[in-house]
Amino acid sequence: MLVLLGVLLLAQAFTGYLLWRARSSAGGETGSADGVLSALRRLADGDLTATANSSSPATAVIAEELNAAVARQRELVADLRAPFEGLATELHRLGNSSRVHSETSADMGRQLEEVKSALSREAPTAEDLSGVSQQAQEAMGRHRQLVARGQTLATDMARASSDVRESMQETSKSAKRQGELIQSVTTAAEYIQSLNTRISVVAINTRIEAERAGEHGRPFLGIAEAIGDLLREAEGEGRKITSEVRMLQNLSAENLNSLEHTVGAVVTILDFVERIDAALEDLGHGAARLLEQVDSLGNTTLQSAEAVRRLNGILGEVREQNRVLREGAEASQQSMANLKQTLSTLGRNLARLRVDNASGDAGSALNV
Amino acid sequence: MSQAFSALSDLQSRYAHAAVALPAAVVEEPTWRGASIGIAGVPLVMAHRDMETIIALPPLTRIPGTRNWVLGVAAYQGGLLPILCGDTLFGERLAPGRRREYCLVVRQPGFHVGLTLSHVHGNIALPLAQRTANMPLAGLFADCCDGGFWQGERFLGLLDCTLLTASGALADTSASPAAPVEDSLLRVKPSCSFCWGCCC
């Protein structure tokens, strides 16, 4: 930039020198050199669009030379402005890109903050889940112990029921034997009753014969009375025995029936116990599988919590790098702003050199 | 004399005071004595004088062409004794219980038969005051009973064999087309172990 200014100053000085030489050599030809002087004045003001005109032969050559020099200066200025304009355009584009990058970086920073806060919220949840998983493991352990205890109880119950069934079967056999004995007693009671009937017949026949014998049969009457008394006692006892044996028979039948029902109930209980045992076994298997899944879930939860912690650390690093990147982008934007300011100054300085007849350089890229 | 008389009088009064009183005469309630039996499950009593004996039912020989209450004839004391089924004759039905085990031998002029009994209870003595002529019996029982005795809630009909003879029930033993001849013994069925033939 300084070199460019130096070149421009040298060109300005050379132009002034040529103007001074023309004045000193022309002298009285003032009237014919007005066009040249006017052009020189405009050139001094930086208007490179000025054209020197002269009707005098002495100054015509100067005017032509001046016009040629000015044309070359215009070309030189235009050539100088072109790369700067490209530079300003690229700088503007670069500034826009840097601003977009900076905004993107800021958005990314905000998103990283949100992700970090979300991860911060998730981390306790994962830890809570891990704690819940641990509690579930403990509960499942207790559940398995209870199931094992239930299986032990079911086994004991099955054994006890089996013992009860065997005992019931023995009792049933005993009851059947008791029924047989009762039947035997019943047969004996029937026989006693039959004997009583026979004795009754004997007593009646004795009485008949005694009455038939008249006075001689009186002793037989006493015998018949005695037999009758004995018979009544025997009949009373026989009826009592028969009644009690019948009650005993009914009770035995009821007991036998009850025993059969009890054996059936015990068999049903055994069936139920076996079903309960099978259900407890299935429950134990299910609890074991559930415990494995809870273990797996706990491990996964722990790994997830660890991953969340690592991700949180990585996000912190990314956020730090993003912050550094954003600061670099801001510094770059500041540098570009400074560069734009410098280019704007250069543009304003170059704009003082008019190279065409346009009113200004409003469309120039250097006007930033 | 007077002293002696007074001494005797004192002695009499002293002995009269110390003497044991005579026992009171016990007035026995007049009773009726007989045998308690049962025919076709109906409780009856019968005087001993009307009975010849009670025997176990002997082996029978059936008599074709007779009514179904004629079970047959049996050998008895060197002779033949017709055996009649009390259940069929009095109850007009076949024996409901087990085969009867005893039969009552009755001997009346021109009438010597055995009648099966449903049960035999033994000798019995009943107050004559309890005898009544009103009988809650029907059929041949009412024709053959001369009143009876109430023993609690139970009525014991007094069976009189002369009335049985007079009733004419035994006049014709030939089989009639309406009544089958045989099988009164064959159709009996076993009963319960405690049955006297009255409850089944």
Side-chain angles (χ1 to χ4, degrees):
Chain A
M1 189 67 70
L2 294 175
V3 173
L4 182 61
L5 289 175
V7 170
L8 290 174
L9 289 176
L10 283 175
Q12 195 77 12
F14 178 69
T15 305
Y17 169 72
L18 289 177
L19 184 60
W20 173 76
R21 189 178 172 187
R23 277 184 182 173
S24 60
S25 61
E29 297 179 0
T30 309
S32 59
D34 288 341
V36 175
L37 289 174
S38 174
L40 286 174
R41 285 191 196 99
R42 290 176 59 188
L43 285 173
D45 291 336
D47 185 6
L48 296 180
T49 60
T51 303
N53 294 322
S54 176
S55 59
S56 172
T59 59
V61 176
I62 294 170
E64 288 176 0
E65 289 293 332
L66 185 59
N67 287 336
V70 169
R72 285 196 299 273
Q73 285 184 0
R74 279 202 304 267
E75 290 176 0
L76 179 61
V77 168
D79 290 341
L80 282 173
R81 288 187 64 172
F84 279 106
E85 285 181 352
L87 181 62
T89 302
E90 292 298 326
L91 192 62
H92 183 67
R93 194 177 299 162
L94 191 59
N96 288 337
S97 175
S98 177
R99 183 171 48 80
V100 170
H101 284 172
S102 178
E103 291 174 357
T104 304
S105 177
D107 291 340
M108 194 170 168
R110 283 194 298 274
Q111 291 175 357
L112 284 173
E113 284 293 333
E114 291 176 357
V115 169
K116 188 179 180 185
S117 61
L119 284 175
S120 300
R121 286 194 301 272
E122 288 298 324
T125 305
E127 290 176 356
D128 292 343
L129 197 57
S130 176
V132 170
S133 172
Q134 185 68 26
Q135 292 175 359
Q137 281 181 349
E138 295 174 0
M140 289 306 297
R142 288 195 297 273
H143 179 67
R144 287 187 66 183
Q145 289 178 355
L146 288 175
V147 168
R149 191 187 301 171
Q151 280 182 324
T152 305
L153 287 175
T155 306
D156 293 343
M157 197 170 171
R159 195 179 299 119
S161 298
S162 180
D163 293 343
V164 168
R165 185 177 60 178
E166 291 177 1
S167 175
M168 285 292 177
Q169 286 173 348
E170 291 295 327
T171 309
S172 178
K173 288 178 184 175
S174 175
K176 285 181 181 175
R177 175 66 182 150
Q178 185 182 357
E180 292 172 0
L181 289 175
I182 288 172
Q183 186 60 39
S184 175
V185 172
T186 304
T187 305
E190 286 179 0
Y191 180 69
I192 290 171
Q193 217 155 23
S194 172
L195 281 181
N196 287 337
T197 306
R198 285 188 205 176
I199 294 170
S200 298
V201 171
V202 170
I204 292 172
N205 289 336
T206 305
R207 181 84 188 198
I208 291 170
E209 292 300 329
E211 287 196 358
R212 191 175 295 157
E215 194 63 28
H216 298 288
R218 285 199 177 274
F220 290 104
L221 284 178
I223 294 172
E225 290 295 330
I227 291 174
D229 294 341
L230 292 174
L231 179 64
R232 276 188 286 277
E233 291 182 9
E235 274 185 345
E237 293 300 319
R239 284 199 188 91
K240 192 188 296 182
I241 288 172
T242 302
S243 172
E244 290 178 354
V245 165
R246 185 178 294 173
M247 289 173 58
L248 201 59
Q249 204 171 18
N250 292 336
L251 284 175
S252 176
E254 289 177 2
N255 288 339
L256 196 60
N257 195 18
S258 175
L259 276 175
E260 288 176 356
H261 281 301
T262 308
V263 169
V266 168
V267 169
T268 306
I269 288 172
L270 268 177
D271 187 26
F272 286 160
V273 166
E274 286 179 0
R275 288 187 196 175
I276 288 171
D277 194 24
L280 284 174
E281 195 172 352
D282 291 343
L283 205 59
H285 289 322
R289 285 198 295 273
L290 198 57
L291 187 59
E292 291 175 359
Q293 290 175 358
V294 168
D295 282 339
S296 174
L297 182 62
N299 292 332
T300 305
T301 306
L302 284 175
Q303 291 174 0
S304 176
E306 184 64 26
V308 165
R309 279 195 291 273
R310 283 208 304 271
L311 193 58
N312 204 359
I314 291 171
L315 279 178
E317 293 176 1
V318 170
R319 190 179 57 173
E320 184 64 22
Q321 290 175 1
N322 186 48
R323 187 183 62 78
V324 172
L325 194 62
R326 191 172 64 243
E327 289 176 358
E330 288 173 357
S332 177
Q333 276 185 333
Q334 186 64 34
S335 299
M336 281 181 199
N338 293 334
L339 192 56
K340 280 182 183 177
Q341 189 65 32
T342 304
L343 281 177
S344 179
T345 304
L346 179 60
R348 281 194 300 273
N349 290 333
L350 285 176
R352 292 167 61 185
L353 300 174
R354 291 188 60 188
V355 294
D356 51 19
N357 290 325
S359 60
D361 293 330
S364 174
L366 293 174
N367 294 330
V368 294
Chain B
M1 186 64 185
S2 60
Q3 290 179 346
F5 184 76
S6 64
L8 285 173
S9 181
D10 293 340
L11 187 62
Q12 181 190 9
S13 62
R14 191 165 58 246
Y15 275 97
H17 182 71
V20 178
L22 290 173
V26 178
V27 180
E28 287 189 3
E29 188 180 8
T31 56
W32 178 91
R33 293 181 179 275
S36 174
I37 57 175
I39 296 176
V42 177
L44 300 169
V45 291
M46 193 172 182
H48 289 115
R49 63 175 177 278
D50 292 338
M51 305 168 69
E52 181 176 319
T53 186
I54 294 176
I55 60 172
L57 189 65
L60 297 173
T61 300
R62 300 179 64 187
I63 306 172
T66 56
R67 296 205 175 193
N68 55 2
W69 40 264
V70 179
L71 294 180
V73 291
Y76 174 68
Q77 294 181 350
L80 291 179
L81 179 67
I83 304 296
L84 308 181
C85 178
D87 297 280
T88 311
L89 178 62
F90 285 87
E92 296 179 351
R93 55 187 171 87
L94 297 179
R98 62 180 177 178
R99 185 177 183 270
R100 302 303 183 192
E101 295 180 350
Y102 296 96
C103 68
L104 168 68
V105 180
V106 180
R107 183 186 291 273
Q108 294 290 325
F111 176 67
H112 188 206
V113 295
L115 192 61
T116 58
L117 303 175
S118 60
H119 55 269
V120 180
H121 282 169
N123 296 318
I124 190 171
L126 296 169
L128 277 175
Q130 294 179 358
R131 184 167 181 177
T132 177
N134 297 324
M135 299 179 293
L137 299 174
L140 191 58
F141 283 115
D143 296 337
C144 300
C145 286
D146 183 15
F149 297 88
W150 281 103
Q151 188 181 43
E153 296 293 326
R154 193 173 64 153
F155 181 79
L156 304 172
L158 177 57
L159 183 64
D160 191 344
C161 287
T162 55
L163 293 178
L164 176 60
T165 308
S167 69
L170 305 178
D172 185 9
T173 59
S174 298
S176 65
V181 178
E182 329 282 346
D183 298 339
S184 62
L185 282 178
L186 299 177
R187 290 184 187 177
V188 295
K189 53 186 179 181
S191 67
C192 66
S193 304
F194 299 96
C195 182
W196 288 96
C198 55
C199 62
C200 299

